[in-house]
C-alpha cells in the first residue's frame, strides 16, 4: 500500500510542477522592474552562442554570485539555477521549484541582474522561470563536474529503463464485478532485477505470464514466499501487466488477501455470497497477495472453495505470502497441499550485488526525468552496504536523495547518504511496545475484557489470554517479571514465570498456536 501511495505522491508532485510550468512559461516574471509587456513575449532569441560559450558565461555569473553572497546563501538559493538562454537583452534562467523562483525574485533580483551583466554584457533583465523536472529547455550549460554519471557497476546488460509514468497509470481493475487492488505501473518484469535470490521465482513468474493461454502451461499454482520487501508484490504486478500486455482481453484479477476478505464480507452482508463466488468462475488468472492476512473462518472457507473451483477449471492461480504453504497452519490440510501442487519458491535475502543493481535501476529511472541526478560510487556502496533488509528501504533512499537533488541541488555525498540512511533505519526500527498495547490486543483477540484479564478469575477462558499476554510482555518489552506481574493484576513473579513456561511448552508442538502468536506480534508491531 505504501508503495502505491508513494507513487501517487510523486505523480502529484510532478503534475503540480507541470501546472506551475504552464503558468510560468506563459508569463515569465522579470527580476527587474521592466514593464510586463516586455517580458510576455517568448524570446525570439538571437543565437546565444555555442553551448560552451554559454557555459563559460554562466560560470562567470555563478562565480560572481558566490563571491557577492557567500557560499552558504549561494548554495541555498542558486545551486539549482540553470541558464537557459540570452537574446541580447533578456537572460532566461530557471529553477525547479516555485518557492525558489519567488524567493530569488523578491530577495535577489538586483544582485542577480548585476552579476548577470558580468557574463552577459548588455543584459537588461533576468527572467526567472520555473522548469519542469527534466524539461526540454535544459541547457547544456550546467557544469557537470559535481554531478557526473557515476554508477557502481556496469549497467550495459540491463534492460532499457522506462520513465516512471509509463506504461499505464496506477490502475484499479474491475473484473467481472470484482474490484482488484491497484497495480503499480513501475512494477514490471523490465524493472525487476534478477539475481541468485530471486532467479527461480522470476523464472516461474515469467513462465506463468507467458504460457497462461498456451497448450503447455506453466506451474499452477505459483506460490512465492519471502520476508518483507524482497519483491513478491513487484513480481505479482509484473505477471499481471505482462498477461494484459499479451492478451488485453484476459480477465486478470490481482487482490490482496485483505481486499478479498473485505469484498467477501461486504457480499455476505448484502446476502450475495453465492454471486460473489460465481464471479470468480470466469477469471483467467487470480493473483492473491499477502495470503497470510487471509483471516476469518468464513473467509478462509470461501477462499478454499474459490481456489478449488479455479484450479479445477484450469485457471491460473498465483499466490504471494510471507510464509510457505506448509506453515500456514490456519488453512486446512487439503488447501495447503493444493497450494503446494505447482511451484513453491522462496525469494531469499537480497545480496549485495542485487541491492546495488536495484539502487542503480532506481537511479536510472530518476535520470530519465532529470539527467543531472547521479549518486557517486562511494555513496552507492554505502547505501547497498547499510540497507540490507529490503528493497523498500532501497527505493525509499533513492526517492529521498532524488527529492533533495530536485529541490536543493545538494550534491549527493557520502555524508548526505549517511543522514538519509540513519533516518531510514531509525524509521524502520520496531516501535516500542507497551504492556497497555498488549492488554488491548489480547483482549480484542480473545474477546475478553481488560478487566477480566486483570481480575482474579481462574476460568480457562480468562487464564489462557492472561498467560499469552504475560508471555508477550516478556518477549516484547524490557519489563522484569515482577513488573509484568504487577501490571497483570498484581500477580506474583512466579505466576508470570509459570505462564511463560507454559506457553513456551505449548508452542513447541502446536503450529496453530505459534501462528496465532506471530499474528498477535504482527498486530502489536503495526
Ligand atoms: P514484498 O512484496 O516482498 O514485500 P515488494 O515487491 O513490495 O516486496 O518490493 C519492495 C520494493 O523493492 C519495491 O519497490 C520493489 O520494486 C523493490 N524490489 C524488490 N526486489 C526487486 C528486484 N529484484 N528488482 C527491482 N526492484 C525490486
Ligand atoms: Mg508485498
Amino acid at each position: 500500500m505504501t508503495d502505491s501511495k508513494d507513487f501517487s505522491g510523486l505523480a502529484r508532485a510532478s503534475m503540480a510542477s507541470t501546472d506551475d510550468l504552464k503558468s510560468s512559461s506563459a508569463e515569465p516574471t522579470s527580476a527587474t522592474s521592466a514593464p510586463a509587456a516586455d517580458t510576455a513575449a517568448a524570446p525570439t532569441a538571437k543565437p546565444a552562442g555555442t553551448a560552451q560559450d554559454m557555459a563559460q558565461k554562466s560560470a562567470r555569473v555563478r562565480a560572481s554570485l558566490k563571491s557577492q553572497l557567500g557560499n552558504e546563501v549561494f548554495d541555498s538559493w542558486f545551486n539549482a539555477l540553470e541558464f537557459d538562454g540570452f537574446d541580447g537583452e533578456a537572460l532566461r534562467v530557471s529553477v525547479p521549484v516555485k518557492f525558489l523562483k519567488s524567493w530569488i525574485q523578491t530577495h535577489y533580483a538586483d544582485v542577480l541582474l548585476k552579476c548577470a551583466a558580468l557574463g552577459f554584457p548588455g543584459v537588461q533583465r533576468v527572467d526567472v522561470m520555473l522548469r519542469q523536472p527534466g524539461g526540454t529547455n535544459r541547457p547544456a550549460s550546467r557544469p557537470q563536474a559535481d554531478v557526473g554519471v557515476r554508477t557502481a557497476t556496469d549497467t550495459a546488460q540491463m534492460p532499457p529503463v522506462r520513465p516512471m509514468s509509463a506504461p499505464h497509470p496506477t490502475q484499479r481493475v474491475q473484473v467481472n464485478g470484482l474490484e482488484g487492488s491497484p497495480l503499480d505501473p513501475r512494477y514490471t518484469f523490465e524493472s525487476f532485477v534478477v539475481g541468485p535470490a530471486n532467479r527461480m521465482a522470476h523464472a516461474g513468474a515469467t513462465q506463468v505470464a507467458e504460457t497462461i493461454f498456451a497448450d503447455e502451461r506453466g506451474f499452477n499454482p505459483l506460490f512465492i514466499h519471502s520476508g518483507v520487501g524482497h519483491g513478491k508484490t513487484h513480481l505479482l504486478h509484473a505477471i499481471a501487466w505482462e498477461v494484459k500486455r499479451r492478451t488485453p482481453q484476459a480477465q486478470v484479477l490481482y487482490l490482496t488477501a485483505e481486499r478479498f476478505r473485505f469484498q467477501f464480507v461486504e457480499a455476505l452482508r448484502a446476502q450475495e455470497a453465492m454471486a460473489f463466488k460465481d464471479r470468480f468462475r470466469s477469471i483467467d488468472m487470480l493473483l492473491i497477495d499477502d495470503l497470510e492476512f487471509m483471516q476469518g473462518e468464513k473467509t478462509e472457507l470461501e477462499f478454499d472453495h474459490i481456489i478449488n473451483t479455479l484450479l479445477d477449471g484450469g485457471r491460473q492461480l498465483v499466490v504471494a505470502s510471507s510464509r510457505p504453504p506448509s506453515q500456514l497452519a490456519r488453512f486446512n490440510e487439503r488447501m495447503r497441499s493444493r497450494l503446494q501442487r505447482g511451484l513453491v519458491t522462496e525469494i531469499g535475502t537480497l545480496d549485495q550485488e542485487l541491492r546495488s543493481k536495484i539502487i542503480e535501476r532506481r537511479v536510472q529511472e530518476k535520470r530519465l526525468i532529470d539527467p543531472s541526478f547521479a549518486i557517486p560510487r562511494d555513496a552507492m556502496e554505502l547505501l547497498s552496504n547499510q540497507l540490507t533488509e529490503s528493497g523498500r528501504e532501497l527505493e525509499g533512499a533513492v526517492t529521498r536523495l532524488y527529492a533533495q537533488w530536485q529541490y536543493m541541488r545538494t550534491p549527493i555525498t557520502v555524508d548526505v547518504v549517511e543522514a538519509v540512511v540513519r533516518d531510514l533505519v531509525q524509521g524502520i526500527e520496531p516501535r516500542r511496545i507497551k504492556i497497555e498495547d498488549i492488554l488491548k490486543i489480547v483482549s480484542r483477540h480473545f474477546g475478553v475484557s481488560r478487566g477480566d484479564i486483570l481480575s482474579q478469575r481462574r476460568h480457562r477462558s480468562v487464564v489462557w489470554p492472561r498467560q499469552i499476554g504475560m508471555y508477550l510482555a516478556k518477549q516484547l518489552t524490557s519489563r522484569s517479571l515482577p513488573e509484568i506481574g504487577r501490571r497483570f493484576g498484581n500477580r506474583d513473579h512466579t505466576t508470570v514465570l509459570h505462564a511463560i513456561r507454559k506457553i513456551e511448552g505449548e508452542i513447541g508442538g502446536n503450529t496453530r498456536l505459534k501462528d496465532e502468536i506471530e499474528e498477535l506480534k504482527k498486530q502489536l508491531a503495526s
Side-chain angles (χ1 to χ4, degrees), residues 47-103:
T50 61
Q52 195 187 4
D53 184 36
M54 187 74 184
Q56 280 172 357
K57 290 176 171 172
S58 49
R60 207 167 305 149
V61 181
R62 286 169 175 281
S64 158
L65 280 169
K66 215 177 252 188
S67 75
Q68 294 264 324
L69 301 169
N71 281 349
E72 205 168 310
V73 172
F74 179 87
D75 285 347
S76 305
W77 308 115
F78 291 97
N79 229 355
L81 189 76
E82 289 184 357
F83 292 77
D84 297 343
F86 179 55
D87 65 2
E89 242 176 46
L91 175 65
R92 278 183 304 126
V93 299
S94 62
V95 286
V97 241
K98 209 173 183 176
F99 169 66
L100 270 184
K101 176 182 146 182
S102 62
W103 190 265

Side-chain angles (χ1 to χ4, degrees), residues 229 232-234 254 289-290 392:
K232 300 182 294 298
T233 296
H234 190 138
Y254 166 77
D289 205 350
D290 297 325
R392 246 168 246 182

Side-chain angles (χ1 to χ4, degrees), residues 474 479-486 491-493 496-497 500:
K474 182 65 201 151
R479 304 276 170 224
S480 63
L481 296 182
E483 173 73 4
I484 294 173
R486 202 176 60 70
R491 295 187 145 74
D492 190 73
H493 79 274
V496 182
L497 192 60
I500 294 168

Side-chain angles (χ1 to χ4, degrees), residues 219-370:
F219 307 102
N220 198 15
L222 170 64
F223 193 108
I224 303 173
H225 65 98
S226 78
V228 168
H230 290 185
K232 300 182 294 298
T233 296
H234 190 138
L235 271 183
L236 259 56
H237 287 208
I239 296 173
W241 285 126
E242 182 62 19
V243 172
K244 283 156 170 285
R245 191 181 69 77
R246 290 169 170 258
T247 319
Q249 71 278 16
Q251 303 251 42
V252 180
L253 182 64
Y254 166 77
L255 276 176
T256 61
E258 267 169 330
R259 184 145 204 100
F260 175 92
R261 187 175 65 165
F262 174 77
Q263 294 196 41
F264 173 60
V265 170
E266 284 291 296
L268 271 185
R269 203 171 287 153
Q271 305 197 320
E272 288 174 353
M274 281 302 283
F276 176 76
K277 196 178 320 184
D278 276 350
R279 292 198 183 116
F280 282 87
R281 278 182 200 280
S282 67
I283 279 169
D284 296 310
M285 173 181 262
L286 176 65
L287 303 112
I288 295 283
D289 205 350
D290 297 325
L291 182 68
E292 69 277 12
F293 291 118
M294 190 70 79
Q295 292 176 23
E297 212 173 306
K298 282 192 177 149
T299 307
E300 287 160 23
L301 204 62
E302 187 72 5
F303 181 64
D304 190 6
H305 288 320
I306 286 173
I307 64 165
N308 280 327
T309 313
L310 280 174
L311 293 174
D312 290 345
R315 312 301 166 122
Q316 180 70 45
L317 176 68
V318 181
V319 178
S321 165
S322 63
R323 273 167 271 164
S326 58
Q327 286 179 28
L328 289 165
R330 217 180 357 233
F331 295 133
N332 64 44
E333 184 50 42
R334 190 174 57 121
M335 163 112 110
R336 286 203 298 259
S337 77
R338 280 221 95 155
L339 290 173
Q340 292 182 71
R341 216 167 283 171
L343 173 68
V344 176
T345 171
E346 179 173 13
I347 303 182
T349 309
L350 309 179
D351 59 54
Q352 158 99 41
E353 194 184 339
L354 194 52
R355 295 198 300 268
S356 325
K357 284 191 176 155
I358 293 176
I359 298 173
E360 258 172 58
R361 187 87 221 174
R362 293 282 182 243
V363 172
Q364 285 178 348
E365 282 172 3
K366 304 287 187 203
R367 285 173 55 78
L368 287 177
I369 310 172
D370 180 350

Side-chain angles (χ1 to χ4, degrees), residues 148-160:
V149 189
R150 286 160 290 184
T151 44
T153 54
D154 180 18
T155 57
Q157 293 167 343
M158 286 190 159

